[in-house]
Amino acid sequence: MVGVMDSADTYWHDRALLEWQLELGAVDAIGNDPVDRYALETAKPAPKPATDAGTPRPAQPAPEVDAVAIAKAAAASASDLEGLAAAMQGFEQCELKRGARNFVFCDGQPSARVMIVGEAPGREEDRAGKPFVGRAGQLLDRMLDAIDLGRAHDDPARAVYITNVLPWRPPSNRTPDAAEIGMMLPFLERHIALADPDLLVVMGNTPCQALLGRTGITRIRGNWATVLDKPCLPMFHPAYLLRNPIAKREAWADLLDLNARLREI
């Protein structure tokens, strides 16, 4: 009968079907779902973690640097003002150093009875390498001269010594942040200890934050405090007085108070 295969034809027909399926990757006789064996052959298992001592391991992140601890050690190593300046110049943890033109350490007489602490160098100070030389510095000189004080005064009793919390200019004269103040504070405290003035004058919020732990200069100005066992007078920064001339009345009162305190001790 046409269309009916005998047993021999059925064998070769079934074998041809099996060979064709083998070529396609169907090697399991039973399975509910089709399996692509070509994909399984090309897929590779994930590598196992290396355990051999000689096998390179991933690099570990570098430990965080304690900038304050480094600053404390560097400041403590300075036995004089010259050594302190060198230690500060060698301090690499403050990023402000990268963008500043000059290191600004101090001005005036190191043996002066009055030490003035400002915020940070501005553009003119960065150029000159000295604190308070711009318009604010010129106003400060006139203020001090009004009570017979000055950075160039020959008499240590009437001279002043000037520095800043930060020795490098912040970009665009921005206010120093807490991290910058914190890492430079050990140097400032050592600076005060080495200069050993009779009185401190802190001008503006930044030195008040650093040495008094307080801000709000309009509230705390004129109120004597104690810093490192020394009398300390918060005052307006001359730059603030240039923007707010009406505050010069309070600044004059603070200057008279400073002069009277100098006569008492």
Side-chain angles (χ1 to χ4, degrees):
M1 181 182 293
V2 178
V4 177
M5 294 187 294
D6 59 20
S7 60
D9 292 335
T10 302
Y11 169 80
W12 292 110
H13 177 265
D14 292 344
R15 179 171 177 171
L17 288 175
L18 287 173
E19 290 177 349
W20 177 67
Q21 291 181 31
L22 287 172
E23 291 178 359
L24 293 178
V27 293
D28 289 332
I30 297 175
N32 294 326
D33 299 313
V35 179
D36 185 353
R37 294 295 174 176
Y38 293 111
L40 292 177
E41 289 176 0
T42 57
K44 296 182 179 179
K48 296 181 179 180
T51 56
D52 296 338
T55 303
R57 298 181 182 274
Q60 297 297 319
E64 291 188 8
V65 175
D66 189 339
V68 175
I70 295 173
K72 286 181 178 179
S77 69
S79 59
D80 54 27
L81 293 174
E82 183 177 349
L84 180 65
M88 293 174 70
Q89 287 179 295
F91 184 68
E92 298 295 338
Q93 277 61 50
C94 186
E95 290 297 322
L96 296 179
K97 178 180 180 179
R98 314 284 188 265
R101 179 178 297 183
N102 278 307
F103 171 73
V104 180
F105 184 60
C106 69
D107 197 16
Q109 302 295 332
S111 58
R113 297 183 65 197
V114 178
M115 183 174 183
I116 297 175
V117 181
E119 179 179 284
R123 182 180 61 182
E124 297 302 321
E125 289 76 14
D126 187 36
R127 289 177 176 175
K130 291 184 178 182
F132 285 94
V133 296
R135 290 183 62 218
Q138 295 166 15
L139 176 57
L140 175 61
D141 287 338
R142 295 196 297 271
M143 292 166 60
L144 295 173
D145 186 61
I147 57 171
D148 194 26
L149 293 178
R151 68 179 88 192
H153 215 297
D154 294 331
D155 183 2
R158 309 309 300 174
V160 296
Y161 183 63
I162 306 174
T163 191
N164 283 313
V165 176
L166 271 62
W168 298 291
R169 180 195 180 194
S172 302
N173 291 354
R174 66 162 172 78
T175 301
D177 62 36
E180 292 162 346
I181 295 172
M183 73 175 67
M184 299 310 297
L185 180 57
F187 292 113
L188 177 59
E189 292 176 339
R190 185 60 176 159
H191 203 159
I192 293 170
L194 292 172
D196 194 24
D198 292 336
L199 299 173
L200 286 170
V201 176
V202 288
M203 291 189 154
N205 275 320
T206 295
C208 287
Q209 179 181 346
L211 294 172
L212 301 177
R214 301 174 58 191
T215 57
I217 190 63
T218 56
R219 298 188 305 274
I220 63 178
R221 56 134 293 271
N223 296 304
W224 286 90
T226 301
V227 172
L228 303 175
D229 297 324
K230 299 182 183 299
C232 177
L233 178 64
M235 288 185 61
F236 288 129
H237 194 284
Y240 177 83
L241 299 176
L242 290 173
R243 299 191 301 269
N244 301 274
I246 195 172
K248 290 181 179 180
R249 178 183 301 177
E250 287 86 354
W252 175 240
D254 293 341
L255 286 171
L256 293 178
D257 195 11
L258 171 64
N259 197 37
R261 192 67 174 260
L262 280 171
R263 297 180 187 278
E264 292 175 1
I265 60 176

